[in-house]
């Protein structure tokens, strides 16, 4: 019984630290770009598209870059159709982020419930953890694919211009 309890405690600590590490990965970052929402001082909001403060690094990267492209579409030479594609990628990413956060919260609730049962179902817990990990992996890979789509919207000239604008704003 002590072995099962020790295993369950170890499992709880390890599983609960993963979402916490995931959640903290975006905290403490300051805005690198000076924009009207936070004037370069850092946002109070974790979900600022311009500050890369999302809990998921891939999501933050997509939304920060998409926001930058849309904010500078005239300078970059972005037309209506590509801008609409960027907006769609941005919206899909935000929706996926919200779903992912909800799934993580549900997983944590289910895990706590199962761990509080008198008799632990270690195999069931392991299966639940494996299922969550597989979903996390799938959603992260989908995020990377979305980021690739976002970068592919701009042609070479537009990307060069975007980099010039970015560099100029970073140096201010």
């Amino acid at each position: 019984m002590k072995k099962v309890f020790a295993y369950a405690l170890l499992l709880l600590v390890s599983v609960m630290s993963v979402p916490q590490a995931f959640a903290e990965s975006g905290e403490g970052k300051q805005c690198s770009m000076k924009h009207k929402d936070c004037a370069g001082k850092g946002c109070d909001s974790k979900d600022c598209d311009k500050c890369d403060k999302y809990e998921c690094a891939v999501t933050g990267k997509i939304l920060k870059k998409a926001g930058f492209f849309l904010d500078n579409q005239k300078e970059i030479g972005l037309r209506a159709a590509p801008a609409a594609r960027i907006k769609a990628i941005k919206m899909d990413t935000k929706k996926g982020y919200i779903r992912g956060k909800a799934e993580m919260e549900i997983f944590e609730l289910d895990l706590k419930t199962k761990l509080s049962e008198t008799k632990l179902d270690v195999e069931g817990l392991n299966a639940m953890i494996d299922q969550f990990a597989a979903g996390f992996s799938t959603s992260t890979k989908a995020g990377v694919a979305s980021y690739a789509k976002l970068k592919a919207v701009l042609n070479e000239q537009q990307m060069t211009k975007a980099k010039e604008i970015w560099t100029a704003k970073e140096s201010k």
Side-chain angles (χ1 to χ4, degrees), residues 6 8 11-12 33 38 50 57 61 67 77 86 91-92 109 112 120-121 127 133 163:
L11 179 69
L12 175 65
M33 301 294 285
C38 66
K50 296 175 181 156
K61 188 95 170 150
I86 291 172
M91 184 60 70
D92 289 344
L109 289 172
K112 286 178 184 178
L120 289 179
D121 176 14
K163 287 179 183 180

Side-chain angles (χ1 to χ4, degrees), residues 4-150:
V4 171
F5 181 72
Y7 180 72
L9 185 60
L10 179 64
L11 179 69
L12 175 65
V13 170
S14 65
V15 169
M16 296 312 283
S17 66
V18 170
Q20 186 65 25
F22 175 70
E24 290 175 356
S25 67
E27 289 185 16
K29 292 184 181 177
Q30 297 295 313
C31 294
S32 58
M33 301 294 285
K34 294 181 180 178
H35 58 275
K36 65 182 178 188
D37 296 333
C38 66
K41 298 175 186 170
C43 289
D44 293 329
S45 169
K46 283 184 175 181
D47 299 339
C48 175
D49 293 350
K50 296 175 181 156
C51 291
D52 199 17
K53 293 191 78 155
Y54 279 81
E55 294 168 353
C56 173
V58 177
T59 298
K61 188 95 170 150
I62 293 168
L63 295 175
K64 187 173 182 178
K65 191 164 293 258
F68 175 78
F69 289 162
L70 293 171
D71 288 347
N72 296 284
Q73 59 185 323
K74 283 185 182 178
E75 294 90 346
I76 294 171
L78 202 59
R79 296 194 174 168
R85 286 198 305 270
I86 291 172
K87 286 177 186 177
I89 291 169
K90 186 176 174 181
M91 184 60 70
D92 289 344
T93 300
K94 281 186 174 185
K95 287 178 183 179
Y97 175 74
I98 292 166
R99 282 186 193 101
K101 279 178 57 173
E103 287 173 12
M104 184 180 292
E105 287 182 34
I106 291 168
F107 168 74
E108 289 175 358
L109 289 172
D110 290 343
L111 183 65
K112 286 178 184 178
T113 300
K114 286 202 176 271
L115 288 172
S116 67
E117 292 175 357
T118 307
K119 185 176 179 182
L120 289 179
D121 176 14
V122 176
E123 288 181 23
L125 283 165
N126 286 339
M128 194 171 89
I129 293 165
D130 290 342
Q131 183 179 8
F132 176 75
F136 179 77
S137 175
T138 301
S139 65
T140 303
K141 288 176 183 179
V144 170
S146 291
Y147 186 66
K149 284 182 190 175
L150 174 66

